[in-house]
Amino acid sequence: MEIRIDDLTGSKVIALIEEHLQGMSEDSPPESVHALNLDGLRKPEVTFWSAWEQDELLGIGALKELDVTHAEVKSMRTAASHMRKGVARQILEHIIAVAIERGYTRLSLETGSMESFEPARKLYENLGFQYCNPFSDYIEDPYSMFMTKELFR
C-alpha cells in the first residue's frame, strides 16, 4: 500500500469523498454531520492522503491543524471493496506518525455514536484514543463521540 498526499482532483478520490459525505448524511441529521467537503479538505490547514495499490484506491484520511499543538483526524474512509483489510489502521497510523513529526502533542477526532460507527471507534480505541469532551468548535451532540490521544516523540 502506498499512502500519498493527494491534491483532491482525481475522479476516484472525489467519488470516495462523495460516498463518505453521503454515508455521514444517512446516519446523522445535517447539523450533526461534521465531514469536510472538497472545499473544506483543500484548506491550507488540512493535509489529505489517499492510499493506493497500483491504480486502485483503498482509502482516504486527513489531518487538520487546530493550533500549533493540537490536530484533528478528518475524512477517514475505506473503499467498500477493501473494508476489514487493515486499510484504515495503516492510514491512521500514518496520520499519527505525521502528527508526531509535526510536533503536535494532541490528536483528536469526532466520530458517530451510532452502531454503524462501532468498528471505527474500536480502531481508534486500539490505537490509544480515549473518549473526551467536545474540542475546538464542537458541542455536545447525541450523534457524536469525541476522542483524543496524547502524542509523544
Side-chain angles (χ1 to χ4, degrees), residues 4 8 10 20 23 26-27 29 36 55 58 66 74 83 87-88 90 102 112 118-119 123 127-128 137 141-142 145:
R4 59 183 182 233
L8 297 145
H20 179 61
E26 289 171 0
D27 284 340
L36 296 175
D55 64 346
L58 307 180
L66 300 175
K74 298 295 291 181
M83 295 278 195
V87 172
Q90 288 186 56
R102 292 183 180 178
E118 183 66 22
L123 170 64
L127 288 176
D137 296 330
D141 181 336
M145 297 187 89

Side-chain angles (χ1 to χ4, degrees), residues 15-36:
L16 188 55
I17 292 167
E18 289 172 359
E19 178 184 318
H20 179 61
L21 291 170
Q22 181 179 346
M24 299 301 101
S25 295
E26 289 171 0
D27 284 340
S28 304
E31 66 275 8
S32 297
V33 175
H34 303 289
L36 296 175

Side-chain angles (χ1 to χ4, degrees), residues 3 16 24 27 34 40 46 57-59 64 66 82 84 94 97 99 105 107 131 135 140 142:
I3 299 172
L16 188 55
M24 299 301 101
D27 284 340
H34 303 289
V46 177
L57 178 61
L58 307 180
K64 178 182 179 183
L66 300 175
H82 294 284
R84 313 292 179 259
H94 180 81
T105 57
L107 186 58
Y131 292 94
F135 59 93
E140 288 289 342

Side-chain angles (χ1 to χ4, degrees), residues 28 32-34 72-74 108-122 124-125 129-135 138-148:
S28 304
S32 297
V33 175
H34 303 289
E72 179 181 3
V73 176
K74 298 295 291 181
S108 300
L109 60 91
E110 179 274 339
T111 190
S113 62
M114 294 72 68
E115 187 176 326
S116 60
F117 289 89
E118 183 66 22
R121 291 193 304 269
K122 290 293 182 199
Y124 301 137
E125 290 171 5
F129 285 83
Q130 298 180 339
Y131 292 94
C132 65
N133 292 321
F135 59 93
Y138 291 105
I139 58 171
E140 288 289 342
D141 181 336
Y143 294 93
S144 291
M145 297 187 89
F146 304 95
M147 302 180 83
T148 195

